[in-house]
């Protein structure tokens, strides 16, 4: 199947403006006749539904949580990027664009990334107008801090709760449209399939998670804003309910899946503590803004961190990457931590952790704070006390969260951190308009593949979600719907709805009737171990081939021996989970297949066979400068399609943060 990315012609910095100037429009009277389904109400979904409702479209929004406020976007901590250059430190739209393409190891589409950088400033203005309480400097100007992969301060933040505050802003906009009647909200509903009519997406089948009832819903277009698939690894920083089901159903109906093996390992997470842990907790990358990462110079160190003298500490990121130090991109920081632990320098009971230390920051801030008061003869105790107060103001809720989980006071003792699965750069393939290879089916935010290449820079997820919802889809969706104004609403009695509903019902019945002996959770955990061990921070051909075979065997076992208690026509979380895990198993196979085919290292995809002499990722631009767009052909059968990546502005070079 041929596919077109629809990148506008012309100069890079004119493409988006030129597109907006020539795009087809839908007049206000016609918008009231057009129905749009939005699945997912995180930052991308809530902002899209609110924007489209404000424009006059009839919107139906769906989420599986009991409220849109519970979307996983709320868990984002550190901040959101924008090229405001408030610090006057050399930032610009171009530099944000450049850093994002380079940070993604030259595996992103330039035109999409440039558009993201262009609209970034408008996102901040929009959110301030909504009342999002961004941190401010003494004079009232919005504050910025540093994040990995950049040498400027461009990250706007609200303490360690940026995602929560941004989501509340988008939620407020959404609720306003619900009150006005332009948006109809369906909470506790899960999309289980896309309805296709004449090769166009025309609706969805959703399951009411409270009653178990299947529902049919029509839409002239369907927008998937359902987040990422990091929970394929079982242990991740994602919410327990985060899943791939909506995107996977779309994939099986013809939407190509882009770069599925590109997953991000976040370097600053609380380490695994035991066999029975069900999720991991992220410690914001903003902590690397002030904290220093180190391990003991001596292997198998038994002393407490505070008892290890300065000269016996290895600040390995500062040593290996002097230009960026602790602010190297996530993939680089994660691999460096793994390398130190693999060599025997890890700390903690499992030895799978490194230290993140705020001692120097506390002293630095304390001296500055007391200096403001003219106190230049303060004691060490006074300096530390003043410094702790500053750190508490900037990172207090994160420190409190760490202490509640670990029982250790991070003001007194360095945090222990280790990399963990966090974000997925892969997702449904979309063109410049965010449309998948299925007409009328769009993917926004983390559900698509488009803006981050092989590695996402910190504080870019919130930026992309809101950019897609507030500033991109309102233009690009109209370009499609302008040709649909003569299409009347199709009744859900149409045979395509009945046929799709029956297929969904049959699958549910099949799952319930297996009546095996093993729990859904046990299968998910086994899948996660295969994925982490063989398609995690490092991959090789032997391991990936083994993983594919093991996942295929796990799939057969799942469909013959899973046990789901309860009933279909009732609230049944185990049944919901079973459907999601079944989809994760199929996705896991495709991820391993994609990782096997991509015989290079790039960003978060590290093939052990392809590395430089000093252990860095080694790309193969001659053979792999493309987006992998996988087409579903049947069980365990996919066809690889390639979208060539052409770089007009940011010419690929070996990434260096030294």
């Amino acid at each position: 199947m041929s596919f077109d990315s629809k990148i506008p012609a012309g100069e890079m910095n004119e493409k988006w403006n030129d597109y907006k100037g020539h795009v087809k429009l839908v007049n206000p009277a016609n918008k009231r006749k057009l129905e749009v389904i939005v699945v997912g109400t995180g930052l991308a979904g809530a902002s899209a539904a609110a924007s489209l409702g404000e424009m006059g479209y009839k919107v139906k929004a769906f989420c599986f949580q009991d409220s849109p406020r519970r979307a996983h976007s709320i868990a984002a901590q550190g901040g959101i990027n924008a090229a405001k250059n408030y610090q006057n430190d050399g930032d610009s739209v171009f530099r944000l664009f450049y850093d994002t393409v380079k940070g993604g190891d030259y595996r992103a589409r330039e035109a999409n990334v440039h558009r993201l950088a262009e609209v970034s400033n408008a996102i901040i203005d929009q959110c301030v107008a909504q009342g999002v309480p961004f941190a401010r400097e003494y004079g009232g100007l919005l504050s910025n801090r540093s994040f990995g992969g950049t040498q400027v301060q461009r990250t706007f933040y609200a303490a360690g709760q940026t995602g929560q505050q941004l989501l509340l802003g988008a939620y407020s906009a959404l609720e306003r449209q619900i009150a006005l009647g332009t948006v109809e909200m369906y909470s506790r509903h899960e999309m289980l399939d896309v309805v296709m009519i004449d090769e166009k997406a025309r609706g969805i089948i959703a399951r009411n998670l409270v009653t178990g009832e299947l529902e049919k819903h029509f839409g002239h277009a369907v927008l998937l804003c359902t987040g990422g698939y990091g929970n394929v690894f079982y242990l991740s920083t994602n919410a327990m309910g985060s899943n791939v089901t909506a995107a996977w159903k779309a994939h099986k109906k013809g939407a190509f899946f882009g770069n599925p093996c590109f997953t991000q390992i976040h370097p600053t997470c609380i380490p695994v503590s035991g066999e029975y842990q069900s999720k991991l907790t992220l410690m914001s990358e903003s902590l690397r803004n002030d904290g220093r990462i180190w391990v003991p110079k001596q292997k198998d160190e038994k002393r407490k961190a505070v008892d290890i003298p300065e000269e016996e500490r290895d600040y390995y990121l500062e040593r290996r990457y002097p230009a960026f130090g602790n602010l190297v991109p996530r993939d680089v920081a994660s691999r460096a931590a793994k390398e130190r632990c693999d060599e025997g320098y890890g700390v903690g009971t499992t030895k799978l952790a490194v230290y993140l230390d705020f001692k120097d920051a506390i002293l630095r801030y304390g001296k500055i704070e007391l200096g403001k008061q003219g106190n230049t003869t303060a004691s060490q105790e006074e300096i530390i006390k003043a410094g702790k107060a500053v750190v508490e103001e900037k990172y207090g809720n994160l420190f409190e969260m760490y202490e509640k989980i670990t029982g250790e006071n991070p003001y007194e003792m360095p945090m222990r951190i280790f990399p963990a699965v966090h974000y997925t750069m892969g997702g449904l393939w979309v063109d410049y308009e965010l449309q998948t290879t299925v007409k009328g089916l769009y993917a926004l935010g983390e559900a698509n593949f488009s803006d981050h290449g092989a590695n996402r820079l910190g504080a870019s997820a919130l930026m992309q979600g809101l950019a897609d919802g507030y500033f991109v889809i309102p233009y690009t969706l109209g370009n499609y719907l302008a040709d649909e104004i003569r299409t009347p609403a199709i009744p859900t009695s149409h045979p395509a709805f009945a046929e799709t509903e029956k297929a969904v019902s049959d699958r549910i019945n099949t799952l319930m009737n297996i009546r095996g002996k093993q729990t859904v959770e046990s299968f998910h955990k086994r899948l996660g171990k295969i994925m982490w061990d063989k398609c995690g921070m490092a991959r090789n051909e032997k391991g990936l081939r083994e993983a594919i075979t093991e996942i295929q065997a796990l799939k057969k076992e799942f469909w013959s021996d899973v046990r789901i208690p309860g009933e279909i026509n009732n609230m049944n979380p185990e049944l919901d989970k079973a459907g999601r895990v079944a989809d994760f198993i199929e996705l896991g196979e495709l991820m391993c297949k994609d990782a096997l085919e991509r015989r290079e290292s790039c960003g978060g995809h590290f093939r052990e066979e392809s590395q430089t002499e000093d252990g860095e990722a080694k790309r193969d631009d001659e053979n792999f400068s493309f987006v992998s767009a996988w087409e579903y052909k049947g069980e365990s059968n996919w066809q690889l399609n390639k979208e060539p990546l052409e770089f007009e502005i940011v010419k690929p070079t070996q990434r260096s943060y030294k």
Side-chain angles (χ1 to χ4, degrees):
M1 177 180 172
S2 62
F3 58 111
D4 177 13
S5 58
K6 298 181 187 172
I7 299 172
E11 295 293 321
M12 187 64 66
N13 58 357
E14 292 297 328
K15 287 182 188 293
W16 180 231
N17 278 336
D18 187 61
Y19 176 91
K20 290 189 293 183
H22 295 88
V23 74
K24 295 175 186 174
L25 301 176
V26 181
N27 81 45
N30 285 331
K31 282 175 184 161
R32 291 192 288 271
K33 303 173 188 172
L34 294 169
E35 300 182 33
V36 180
I37 288 174
V38 178
V39 184
T41 54
L43 286 182
S47 59
S51 299
L52 296 172
E54 178 77 31
M55 294 171 77
Y57 293 107
K58 294 167 67 176
V59 180
K60 285 183 176 180
F62 295 80
C63 73
F64 63 70
Q65 298 93 348
D66 57 355
S67 165
R69 287 177 301 171
R70 293 193 182 274
H72 184 56
S73 301
I74 208 165
Q77 298 168 349
I80 177 171
N81 289 331
K84 287 281 194 183
N85 194 29
Y86 282 168
Q87 305 295 323
N88 198 28
D89 57 359
D91 203 7
S92 64
V93 166
F94 177 82
R95 199 171 289 275
L96 175 53
F97 158 67
Y98 175 88
D99 286 344
T100 306
V101 174
K102 177 186 175 185
D105 217 354
Y106 307 95
R107 290 294 175 262
R109 189 190 290 151
E110 272 192 332
N112 287 64
V113 178
H114 198 281
R115 176 176 65 190
L116 178 65
E118 286 180 67
V119 305
S120 65
N121 293 337
I123 297 170
I124 303 303
D125 297 339
Q126 168 87 5
C127 294
V128 169
Q130 288 175 334
V132 172
F134 286 120
R136 293 180 181 269
E137 303 285 6
Y138 176 75
L141 200 65
L142 296 184
S143 181
N144 291 118
R145 57 188 177 200
S146 300
F147 258 63
T150 72
Q151 291 178 305
V152 298
Q153 289 183 274
R154 65 162 66 102
T155 304
F156 295 78
Y157 62 98
Q161 308 168 345
T162 314
Q164 179 178 354
Q165 300 301 334
L166 291 173
L167 185 63
L168 288 172
Y171 170 74
S172 300
L174 175 61
E175 284 295 312
R176 178 172 180 271
Q177 295 305 315
I178 292 170
L180 292 172
T182 63
V183 177
E184 194 173 353
M185 187 69 224
Y186 292 84
S187 57
R188 302 297 290 150
H189 281 67
E190 181 170 25
M191 176 195 133
L192 293 182
D193 214 342
V194 181
V195 178
M196 302 287 295
I197 299 175
D198 298 329
E199 298 186 337
K200 292 181 179 179
R202 291 300 193 193
I204 65 169
I205 304 298
R207 183 170 183 266
N208 183 321
L209 299 181
V210 177
T211 67
E213 181 185 357
L214 293 180
E215 299 177 5
K216 304 185 284 285
H217 295 274
F218 164 78
H220 288 90
V222 177
L223 278 53
L224 300 184
C225 312
T226 50
Y229 49 86
N231 277 351
V232 69
F233 290 90
Y234 185 68
L235 284 177
S236 84
T237 66
N238 288 194
M240 295 290 285
S242 297
N243 64 83
V244 76
T245 289
W248 195 249
K249 301 308 185 191
H251 172 56
K252 295 179 89 167
K253 283 292 176 74
F256 289 6
F257 213 103
N259 296 333
C261 78
F262 286 172
T263 53
Q264 179 164 81
I265 314 295
H266 196 294
T268 53
C269 298
I270 296 178
V272 175
S273 59
E275 279 293 308
Y276 297 99
Q277 199 162 336
S278 56
K279 85 173 295 294
L280 296 172
T281 302
L282 171 71
M283 298 307 298
S284 169
E285 183 176 320
S286 63
L287 296 172
R288 289 201 280 149
N289 196 60
D290 283 313
R292 298 178 72 192
I293 294 172
W294 62 277
V295 292
K297 288 183 178 178
Q298 181 178 309
K299 291 186 179 182
D300 200 27
E301 177 64 73
K302 297 288 194 299
R303 289 174 291 179
K304 290 182 179 180
V306 291
D307 295 333
I308 300 173
E310 194 70 22
E311 63 272 14
E312 294 182 37
R313 300 180 178 191
D314 178 15
Y315 294 93
Y316 58 90
L317 291 178
E318 297 170 35
R319 169 173 58 81
R320 289 179 61 176
Y321 310 103
F324 283 72
N326 294 295
L327 289 172
V328 291
R330 292 175 175 178
D331 60 318
V332 177
S334 294
R335 277 197 298 276
K338 179 179 186 295
E339 183 273 334
R340 287 291 81 193
C341 291
D342 287 349
E343 289 296 313
Y345 296 96
V347 301
T349 53
T350 64
K351 300 300 179 186
L352 291 176
V354 299
Y355 289 127
L356 176 60
D357 197 336
F358 268 77
K359 181 187 72 172
D360 288 353
I362 288 170
L363 291 172
R364 184 176 71 253
Y365 283 129
K367 288 175 182 176
I368 292 171
E369 202 61 25
L370 292 173
K372 291 177 188 175
Q373 303 165 18
N375 186 350
T376 57
T377 59
S379 67
Q380 186 83 342
E381 288 74 19
E382 289 174 310
I383 292 171
I384 290 172
K385 183 179 178 182
K388 284 180 179 177
V390 176
V391 169
E392 183 176 6
E393 185 179 351
K394 294 183 75 171
Y395 307 107
N397 65 306
L398 297 173
F399 277 54
E400 184 182 334
M401 183 171 70
Y402 180 88
E403 185 170 8
K404 281 185 176 179
I405 292 171
T406 66
E408 295 179 359
N409 182 348
Y411 294 103
E412 308 292 340
M413 186 77 68
M415 292 182 183
R416 285 174 292 109
I417 57 167
F418 193 68
V421 172
H422 178 56
Y423 186 92
T424 50
M425 284 76 66
L428 292 179
W429 183 93
V430 294
D431 60 23
Y432 188 75
E433 297 182 325
L434 305 185
Q435 187 169 212
T436 68
T437 47
V438 172
K439 289 181 181 177
L441 182 67
Y442 293 76
L444 284 65
E446 193 179 355
N448 73 35
F449 88 99
S450 70
D451 291 6
H452 307 297
N455 172 64
R456 177 176 67 77
L457 291 184
S460 289
L462 306 184
M463 176 173 61
Q464 188 208 347
L466 291 179
D468 287 356
Y470 282 136
F471 298 108
V472 178
I473 202 67
Y475 287 97
T476 63
L477 183 63
N479 199 42
Y480 171 77
L481 291 178
D483 295 327
E484 297 294 322
I485 57 175
R486 291 181 180 82
T487 304
I490 300 171
T492 54
S493 56
H494 188 285
F497 280 92
E499 182 183 328
T500 310
E501 182 186 35
K502 183 179 184 304
V504 171
S505 179
D506 288 349
R507 186 176 191 257
I508 290 172
N509 279 296
T510 300
L511 279 168
M512 288 298 293
N513 289 328
I514 294 169
R515 305 190 190 284
K517 296 190 174 80
Q518 300 183 61
T519 64
V520 175
E521 192 80 355
S522 67
F523 281 104
H524 193 183
K525 198 170 185 178
R526 285 165 61 191
L527 172 67
K529 180 162 176 51
I530 295 169
M531 295 299 296
W532 178 249
D533 289 346
K534 297 177 179 177
C535 195
M537 288 183 70
R539 298 109 185 248
N540 59 58
E541 182 170 348
K542 177 176 178 290
L544 289 167
R545 291 191 185 281
E546 289 172 355
I548 291 170
T549 302
E550 290 170 24
I551 292 170
Q552 288 174 347
L554 186 71
K555 181 180 178 180
K556 287 179 182 174
E557 193 178 341
F558 176 90
W559 284 97
S560 63
D561 199 32
V562 73
R563 180 180 183 277
I564 304 168
E567 302 170 1
I568 291 175
N569 299 316
N570 217 325
M571 181 183 282
N572 191 340
E574 281 300 298
L575 175 58
D576 306 333
K577 191 193 301 181
R580 297 166 190 169
V581 171
D583 294 331
F584 274 140
I585 291 172
E586 294 181 2
L587 167 68
E589 183 180 351
L590 178 59
M591 288 171 66
C592 293
K593 192 176 181 67
D594 185 41
L596 181 63
E597 288 288 326
R598 190 169 284 276
R599 296 180 303 280
E600 64 161 356
S601 291
C602 57
H605 168 65
F606 190 73
R607 282 289 294 265
E608 293 174 350
E609 304 93 334
S610 182
Q611 54 183 299
T612 63
E613 289 181 4
D614 50 357
E616 303 294 344
K618 184 179 180 182
R619 293 194 324 273
D620 180 353
D621 293 330
E622 187 176 341
N623 295 305
F624 294 97
S625 188
F626 60 79
V627 176
S628 298
W630 292 91
E631 183 178 2
Y632 182 74
K633 291 291 190 180
E635 187 172 344
S636 295
N637 184 15
W638 290 272
Q639 178 181 314
L640 174 60
N641 301 279
K642 300 176 182 179
E643 178 201 344
L645 290 170
E646 298 175 6
F647 295 92
E648 301 174 30
I649 311 295
V650 187
K651 301 300 181 185
T653 58
Q654 177 65 37
R655 278 196 310 168
S656 174
Y657 294 94
K658 297 184 176 182

